[in-house]
Amino acid sequence: MKRLISLILLVVMLSACSSLEKTHSEKYTISYCSTGDEPVWIEKVKFDDYPVKSGGGLIGGWKRAMGMISLFPTPSVPKQVYIYWFNYRQQVFYEVTVPIQKNAAEIMYNLPQLKFSANFLVTGVKPDGTAVVWVTNGSNAKFSTWVEVGRAQGTLAPGDPESRRNSTESLRRRGKL
């Protein structure tokens, strides 16, 4: 009887450990990037209907995760990502809803785990208004695997460029525009 109880306890403990391991591996960090030297301000982001902290100001670094955000609890990998941003050089706002591949979570969680790294869901914006979403196992494409899981062409969106006047002037003074 003692042996049976010990065996049952062992099975329960092992199943709890595997369950904890799975939960831990399903965490990811949200990040943003922009093309080359194209300064942008990420105003709004939603994962499905879940508002996510915006990325703020970004300059360059295509396929380099910047403005990293960790959410607790981590939401499921979304079916779509809505993004609304301001392009400083063009002085226009864009918006787009990017559909995400159905197997994006599976792709992310099956990427090789790198030492001192994490899973990321990265949204990037381009000067032509395109938004791209990747899953990756590191913050820099040079040292990690990036898999595109969504892409969509944005459209010009309503917004007043004057709302970004101070930051536009700051970028001009610093020679970034």
Side-chain angles (χ1 to χ4, degrees), residues 108-126:
M108 178 190 298
Y109 301 129
N110 287 320
L111 290 172
Q113 291 304 301
L114 305 174
K115 193 173 185 178
F116 307 115
S117 190
N119 291 321
F120 292 85
L121 184 80
V122 182
T123 301
V125 295
K126 298 174 70 172

Side-chain angles (χ1 to χ4, degrees), residues 43 84 86-88 90-93 158-169 172:
E43 295 270 342
Y84 173 75
F86 179 69
N87 182 300
Y88 284 101
Q90 298 171 18
Q91 292 290 293
V92 297
F93 288 86
D160 182 7
E162 279 296 304
S163 66
R164 294 273 151 234
R165 182 170 44 120
N166 289 343
S167 49
T168 298
E169 289 306 315
R172 282 195 181 114

Side-chain angles (χ1 to χ4, degrees), residues 15-161:
S15 66
C17 287
S18 70
S19 150
L20 286 173
E21 184 177 319
K22 182 164 179 52
T23 302
H24 175 72
S25 70
E26 291 182 359
K27 293 181 178 173
Y28 63 90
T29 300
I30 299 163
S31 188
Y32 306 97
C33 64
S34 69
T35 304
D37 63 351
E38 196 73 16
V40 299
W41 183 271
I42 307 296
E43 295 270 342
K44 278 186 211 168
V45 179
K46 282 188 190 176
F47 282 14
D48 298 325
D49 291 325
Y50 185 87
V52 177
K53 184 177 179 204
S54 71
L58 302 172
I59 299 177
W62 193 238
K63 286 188 136 185
R64 270 188 60 222
M66 296 187 280
M68 297 174 201
I69 303 163
S70 293
L71 299 177
F72 300 102
T74 306
S76 298
V77 172
K79 293 177 178 70
Q80 62 185 20
V81 173
Y82 169 81
I83 185 166
Y84 173 75
W85 73 98
F86 179 69
N87 182 300
Y88 284 101
R89 188 159 283 131
Q90 298 171 18
Q91 292 290 293
V92 297
F93 288 86
Y94 287 100
E95 69 181 340
V96 67
T97 299
V98 181
I100 305 302
Q101 286 178 212
K102 289 179 182 171
N103 64 341
E106 182 182 342
I107 293 169
M108 178 190 298
Y109 301 129
N110 287 320
L111 290 172
Q113 291 304 301
L114 305 174
K115 193 173 185 178
F116 307 115
S117 190
N119 291 321
F120 292 85
L121 184 80
V122 182
T123 301
V125 295
K126 298 174 70 172
D128 67 358
T130 301
V132 183
V133 178
W134 297 273
V135 293
T136 177
N137 58 354
S139 60
N140 189 322
K142 186 174 181 179
F143 305 108
S144 55
T145 304
W146 287 52
V147 179
E148 185 177 313
V149 294
R151 176 184 291 256
Q153 179 61 52
T155 58
L156 292 177
D160 182 7

